[in-house]
Amino acid sequence: MQPILTAAHMTEVDRLTTERFGISGLLLMENAAVGATIAIEQHFGPMAGRRVRIFCGKGNNGGDGAAVARQLWMRGARAEVLLFGKRETAKGDARINFDIVNSLAGQSDRLIFREILSEQEFAAIVAEPRPDLHVDALFGTGLMRGLEGIFVKVVEYLNATRWDDASPVPICALDLPSGLAADDGNFIGSHVAADLTVTFTAPKAANVVPPASDANGKLQVIHIGSPAALAASTGTHTAQLHLVETADVRGYLNRTKRPAGAHKGMVGHVLLVAGSRGKTGAAALASEAVLRAGAGLLTVATPVTSQRMLVSQAISEAMTIGVPETPNGGYAFDAVNGLLAAAQGRTVLAVGPGIGEEDTTRRVVRHLVEKTTVPLVLDADALNCLSPWKEIKGTAERPIILTPHPGEMARLLDVSTKVVTADRITAARRLATSFSLIVVLKGQRTVVAAPDGNVYINPTGNPGMATGGSGDVLTGILAGLLAQTPNNALKVTLAAVYLHGLAGDLAAADLGERAVIASDLTARLGAAFKSLQA
């Protein structure tokens, strides 16, 4: 997992890197500049013979920009540093790099250093011919409030030139697009919209949490010499927010490969309580995903009328149980004893897709959750049947995994959807820690919260997955993986969410985002697994 650092944690990492390991701040800044320059050339192509304009503030982010300008100049670019302020008022390592560029600028017509002290001076810059690339090094992780004055105009200029149809100028941001607050996934005012963001040591919340992450463009993390252990914990600061990486999921899949002598009884049996009149499609989608995820056996429990329809819709490998139903085709309370009996001996119980929310269904779901002892996956209507969440707690032996979307999450917490969407990380962490649950809060960059308060951001997925049934597929993948390794619920959950998004990305690549439907995700689940094979 890649730790996601707060601004305070990042400052502490830099300080301890120097104090404990003798790596000076100036060397860290130089390493950052070299890494950023390599990333720029990888993304935008060789810079030799091209014009680059670097917008610098007076702090360390600006110092990074000055060092990048020198590295680009050494590679044959024409680099122009615009410092917004007086060089003499800059401090520390940033001042040293400004002084170096200022001195070298007198020796080469390809390296230029200019101080911008007024809006009139900036207006003169705007009137000049545009470069081939803009580098944003105005503000780094220290910004806490919205931009003001000349910096709003600078951001407006950078964004306008980026989107100019006639002669667009792409933007590379260093550490963060200026105008974002490092610890906030929401926008705080005017901000740069970058094509590439190169951040150092570890990502910050604004790099990876939407909507702020949308302003980053492609994100590349550059390691500049600080030990990884400091990013995990400095003693004063410990990372509780993490970015799921491909290597994490690949490692889980490699560690849980089937032995040569495996048989269906060794890889789990899922009981899926799903479907009702008019909603058998949800049960069918979840059913296939359970088996495509690798579970050995699947039994689907559904009202008797829906059972007949499901047999024609679901894949042939699924077994079914018809349970007593209400006149509306929902779950009669008489179904509860049969469901409890069916859950005995099963590896995982998954409840929710398409079950409806009749009063009797609500009672059935609550009895199942309270009385069963097997690991639980709860989604969709099951979550609404149990909202607001009370009393029921998960344990290490019997993990409970919830997969709400923001509206369902709001009902579970008994708050408004606006409260949830304003801070998804806090909402998910609150529910997970209060009741020892694993909470999968679905959406752009799905959030997974663990009982210990750690939160994980999933990087896969795309807007094409905003289609009916996509959540049912996730339920199936999660239940299918959990059946194979029920003693490792958190890693299973992270892998399931990642694979679900990856399958969606493969579907969008094949079909385009608009054409993706939920069954396309299941159809590409095998390709998602194969792409992660070592």
Side-chain angles (χ1 to χ4, degrees), residues 454-477:
N454 279 289
V455 177
Y456 304 83
I457 307 298
N458 180 67
T460 60
N462 63 83
M465 297 171 70
T467 182
S470 179
D472 303 321
V473 173
L474 175 59
T475 298
I477 296 171

Side-chain angles (χ1 to χ4, degrees), residues 30-46:
E30 191 70 11
N31 290 345
V34 171
T37 302
I38 292 171
I40 286 170
E41 293 206 313
Q42 288 174 340
H43 190 82
F44 299 106

Side-chain angles (χ1 to χ4, degrees), residues 144-301:
M144 302 296 290
R145 62 179 186 272
L147 298 178
E148 299 174 345
I150 190 173
F151 295 110
V152 174
K153 295 184 180 298
V154 173
V155 166
E156 290 173 349
Y157 166 75
L158 289 171
N159 291 339
T161 55
R162 179 182 182 236
W163 291 109
D164 189 318
D165 291 335
S167 56
V169 182
I171 303 170
C172 172
L174 301 184
D175 221 0
L176 287 171
S178 291
L180 301 184
D183 300 344
D184 197 338
N186 295 303
F187 296 125
I188 60 170
S190 298
H191 58 273
V192 169
D195 297 275
L196 170 69
T197 297
V198 181
T199 198
F200 307 117
T201 302
K204 293 77 188 174
N207 292 133
V208 296
V209 177
S213 60
D214 294 339
N216 285 257
K218 179 183 178 182
L219 178 68
Q220 188 159 343
V221 180
I222 301 297
H223 298 286
I224 61 175
S226 296
L230 290 179
S233 178
T234 63
T236 305
H237 300 275
T238 299
Q240 279 205 303
L241 189 61
H242 314 270
L243 182 66
V244 180
E245 297 182 293
T246 302
D248 302 317
V249 182
R250 179 179 288 120
Y252 161 77
L253 294 175
N254 287 336
R255 288 190 299 274
T256 57
K257 285 182 178 179
R258 296 181 180 182
H263 56 78
K264 63 186 179 184
M266 291 175 59
V267 288
H269 190 161
V270 174
L271 176 63
L272 173 64
V273 180
S276 60
R277 187 177 299 167
K279 297 182 178 180
T280 52
L285 286 166
S287 296
E288 182 170 2
V290 166
L291 292 171
R292 293 291 182 191
L297 294 164
L298 167 66
T299 298
V300 185

Side-chain angles (χ1 to χ4, degrees), residues 20 104 116 176 192 215 238 250 256 317 409 425 460 507 514 523:
R20 293 182 183 176
L104 289 172
I116 306 299
L176 287 171
V192 169
T238 299
R250 179 179 288 120
T256 57
E317 293 83 355
M409 187 69 176
I425 291 169
T460 60
R514 291 181 188 272

Side-chain angles (χ1 to χ4, degrees), residues 14 17-19 21-31 93:
D14 287 343
T17 297
T18 298
E19 290 182 3
F21 302 98
I23 303 174
S24 69
L26 195 61
L27 181 55
L28 291 174
M29 192 171 283
E30 191 70 11
N31 290 345
D93 300 325

